[in-house]
């Protein structure tokens, strides 16, 4: 049962992708290619490079979430930095390129200068990841090959179109981490490095900056929900998996295994649809008529 995956963005919610992958493999599905946006891009690249879901979970669990968004000299104008993320990528991916991957993979970003989507499928893996996760206003855009890249979720929160490009003949399983449009918006706090004293962070959370950050992040969340909703309708994946991660914020500190478990539970709920989409009759129908199974 061969499939291709489209892994959506969602910050810390993206740890649910690990559970999705783990359960799909347990059910006998073989992931032949994977496309990702934002956090989904991180998971896509790590998985395509040969890491199992268990190994990726171990990598994330051993990472100090409190220092992921610290700043260093490479960060330009932005609210937060990616010093911790760069350190993680350097240790796990090093100088590996897309040519080193075990299965086809691509991630998406958006060029700030032209406002167009950029599909990255060559070059250094760590650069591709830094481009796809550069949340506008929060992190500095990634300069790469003449582009200034920001988070791919701005235009394509769940890259079904890219997954279809990678494996045109395979059923597409899309994993969306965006809440439904009618879900109330949550409150966001500015994530601070763990080295900052608690009394300082509590004082910061009461400032106008914190209130501004909250409003901005709510707007980002709402826009991403709407774009994901309409893109999924237009791009029509064969199966949509939606982990119940509504209570998790984009930049929250989380217990990785607990979020991953939500992904496993979400697969359980769509097993009948998965079996139908990957059946022989559905594959023939899709090949002959080009329609959704």
């Amino acid at each position: 049962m061969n499939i291709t995956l489209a892994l959506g963005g969602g910050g810390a919610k993206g740890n649910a992708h690990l559970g999705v992958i783990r359960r799909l493999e347990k059910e006998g599905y073989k992931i032949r290619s994977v496309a990702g946006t934002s956090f989904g891009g991180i998971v896509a690249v790590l998985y395509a490079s040969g890491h199992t879901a268990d190994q990726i979970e171990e990598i994330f669990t051993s990472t100090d979430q409190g220092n992921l968004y610290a700043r260093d000299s490479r960060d330009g104008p932005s609210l937060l930095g990616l010093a911790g993320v760069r350190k993680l990528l350097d240790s796990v991916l090093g100088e590996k390129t897309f040519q080193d991957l075990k299965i086809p993979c691509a991630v998406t970003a958006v060029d700030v200068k032209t406002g167009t989507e950029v599909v990255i499928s060559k070059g250094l893996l760590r650069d591709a990841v830094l481009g796809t996760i550069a949340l506008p206003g929060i992190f500095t855009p990634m300069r790469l090959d003449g582009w200034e890249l920001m988070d791919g979720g701005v235009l394509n929160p769940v890259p079904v179109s890219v997954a279809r490009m990678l494996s045109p003949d395979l059923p597409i399983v899309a994993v969306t981490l965006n809440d439904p449009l009618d879900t109330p918006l949550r409150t966001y706090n500015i994530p601070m490095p763990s080295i900052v004293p608690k009394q300082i962070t509590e004082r910061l959370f009461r400032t106008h900056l914190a209130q501004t950050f909250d409003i901005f992040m709510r707007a980002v969340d709402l826009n991403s929900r709407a774009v994901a909703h309409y893109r999924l309708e237009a791009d029509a994946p064969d199966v949509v998996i939606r982990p119940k991660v509504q209570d998790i914020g984009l930049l929250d500190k989380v217990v990785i295994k607990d979020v991953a478990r939500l992904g496993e539970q979400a697969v359980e709920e769509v097993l009948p649809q998965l079996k139908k989409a990957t059946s022989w009759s559905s594959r023939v129908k899709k090949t002959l008529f080009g329609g959704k199974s």
Side-chain angles (χ1 to χ4, degrees):
M1 295 184 286
N2 295 330
I3 59 173
T4 181
L5 281 186
L7 302 180
K13 302 177 183 183
N15 292 287
H17 290 316
L18 306 179
V20 169
I21 292 172
R22 184 156 47 222
R23 185 59 191 273
L24 287 173
E25 292 183 331
K26 182 179 179 181
E27 294 294 328
Y29 293 97
K30 298 185 184 300
I31 301 166
R32 297 304 189 187
S33 60
V34 56
T37 291
S38 197
F39 200 103
I42 300 175
V43 175
V45 165
L46 291 176
Y47 181 77
S49 66
H51 293 86
T52 66
D54 288 346
Q55 290 170 337
I56 300 172
E57 182 176 310
E58 184 178 346
I59 291 170
F60 290 169
T61 300
S62 63
T63 298
D64 181 1
Q65 297 179 54
N67 283 320
L68 278 176
Y69 309 124
R71 298 178 62 86
D72 64 20
S73 59
R74 289 170 289 183
D75 292 305
S78 59
L79 184 60
L80 301 173
L82 287 171
V85 176
R86 282 191 287 266
K87 182 178 179 180
L88 172 64
L89 296 176
D90 284 342
S91 66
V92 177
L93 296 174
E95 298 297 315
K96 289 183 179 179
T97 71
F98 280 86
Q99 290 184 322
D100 297 314
L101 297 179
K102 308 299 183 183
I103 60 173
C105 173
V107 302
T108 69
V110 175
D111 181 22
V112 175
K113 296 184 292 185
T114 62
T116 56
E117 182 177 18
V118 176
V119 177
I120 309 173
S121 58
K122 62 180 181 179
L124 289 172
L125 296 173
R126 66 164 180 255
D127 289 348
V129 170
L130 290 171
T132 193
I133 66 172
L135 194 65
I138 306 300
F139 304 122
T140 304
M142 174 67 184
R143 295 180 183 275
L144 180 66
D145 295 338
W147 298 309
E148 289 185 34
L149 301 178
M150 62 180 173
D151 195 304
V154 171
L155 292 179
N156 201 350
V158 190
V160 174
S161 57
V162 182
R164 184 170 286 123
M165 174 190 72
L166 293 174
S167 299
D169 300 324
L170 293 183
I172 300 172
V173 177
V175 187
T176 179
L177 306 173
N178 298 96
D179 300 334
L181 289 174
D182 58 354
T183 303
L185 294 167
R186 69 186 303 277
T187 299
Y188 288 89
N189 289 321
I190 301 174
M192 298 296 295
S194 57
I195 59 173
V196 178
K198 183 178 179 180
Q199 61 268 30
I200 294 179
T201 61
E202 290 177 346
R203 192 179 309 136
L204 175 62
F205 293 158
R206 294 194 294 268
T207 66
H208 290 301
L209 174 61
Q211 296 168 23
T212 301
F213 177 82
D214 175 39
I215 293 171
F216 175 74
M217 290 303 296
R218 292 189 195 206
V220 170
D221 186 1
L222 184 58
N223 178 77
S224 185
R225 292 185 194 186
V227 176
H229 175 80
Y230 295 118
R231 285 297 302 251
L232 285 171
E233 282 195 343
D235 293 337
D238 295 274
V239 178
V240 176
I241 298 175
R242 190 188 294 272
K244 292 181 172 62
V245 290
Q246 292 92 334
D247 295 331
I248 302 171
L250 295 174
L251 304 176
D252 282 357
K253 298 177 185 177
V254 297
V255 178
I256 309 297
K257 66 178 181 180
D258 289 348
V259 183
R261 192 176 298 119
L262 297 175
E264 296 183 55
Q265 294 169 357
V267 174
E268 175 73 26
E269 295 173 2
V270 300
L271 283 177
Q273 295 170 250
L274 278 165
K275 292 176 181 177
K276 180 181 177 181
T278 55
S279 67
W280 180 83
S281 59
S282 293
R283 295 289 304 280
V284 170
K285 178 183 175 182
K286 188 172 183 179
T287 300
L288 292 178
F289 302 105
K292 187 182 175 185
S293 56

